[in-house]
Amino acid sequence: MNAFSRHETRPSLTIRRTFDAPRTLMFKVWTDGEHLKRWCCPTGFTVPFSEGDIRPGGKFRTCMRSPQGEDNWLRGTYQDIVPHERISFTHSWENQDGSPQHETLVTITLADTEDGKTRLTLHQAFFLSDASRDGHLAGWNETLDELGKYLSRKEISA
């Protein structure tokens, strides 16, 4: 069995959502640190720390604090950025000692809809287990819910 066929059997996830916002704004809220801090975490979580160099090869590190006060650190490297179309980055949670756990690849794709909205597709691969994929599925869905709420604010603009 070659490496490619081993990956085919490992879990991945794909989420598709349509947002009432133009692609230029969608791209901005995914690539501007000030925007990311305000929405990019599951419901009830906060982002007390986030830094990133949003360019191919640039790294990021973020702390998401749970409602119970537990800090969850993650890091990654931006792989590919095509303005207003695609953002791809690695994603790895950190252990207590700051060392990385298993790394996945997240790709965000943005496309116009016929009615002027933006179709977002989030793909993340590959997970070590179905349970890990399912946990990320729940977290991403809550995070995308937060994005929808953030975009509904009248002061947000491209």
Side-chain angles (χ1 to χ4, degrees):
M1 181 185 300
N2 65 31
F4 182 75
S5 59
R6 276 196 314 267
H7 287 295
E8 283 183 16
T9 62
R10 291 171 59 190
S12 65
L13 70 85
T14 301
I15 301 170
R16 291 180 181 86
R17 294 268 191 108
T18 300
F19 292 91
D20 190 9
R23 270 194 308 156
T24 53
L25 178 58
M26 289 293 290
F27 185 79
K28 184 176 182 177
V29 299
W30 277 94
T31 58
D32 180 306
E34 289 305 310
H35 285 293
L36 284 167
K37 288 183 211 180
R38 293 189 175 105
W39 69 267
C40 197
C41 55
T43 304
F45 283 67
T46 59
V47 180
F49 175 86
S50 183
E51 66 180 11
D53 181 10
I54 304 175
R55 63 175 176 80
K59 302 200 182 300
F60 71 89
R61 187 165 186 250
T62 301
C63 177
M64 291 191 301
R65 185 165 291 150
S66 75
Q68 297 77 28
E70 180 181 318
D71 288 345
N72 301 279
W73 289 87
L74 70 111
R75 66 166 82 172
T77 303
Y78 289 94
Q79 304 294 303
D80 185 39
I81 298 177
V82 179
H84 312 127
E85 292 180 19
R86 184 177 54 255
I87 304 158
S88 181
F89 54 90
T90 61
H91 178 288
S92 178
W93 295 104
E94 293 183 359
N95 293 309
Q96 292 288 348
D97 65 2
S99 63
Q101 295 180 17
H102 175 73
E103 184 175 88
T104 59
L105 181 66
V106 177
T107 302
I108 307 297
T109 306
L110 305 172
D112 292 326
T113 63
E114 290 181 13
D115 58 355
K117 298 177 182 180
T118 299
R119 179 77 165 169
L120 178 144
T121 302
L122 181 149
H123 181 75
Q124 187 172 8
F126 291 98
F127 295 94
L128 295 177
S129 68
D130 290 343
S132 178
R133 179 210 47 218
D134 294 348
H136 283 83
L137 177 63
W140 277 120
N141 273 317
E142 286 187 13
T143 299
L144 294 175
D145 290 346
E146 293 301 311
L147 173 58
K149 292 175 195 173
Y150 183 69
L151 289 168
S152 71
R153 296 179 184 176
K154 300 298 182 210
E155 73 272 8
I156 306 299
S157 66

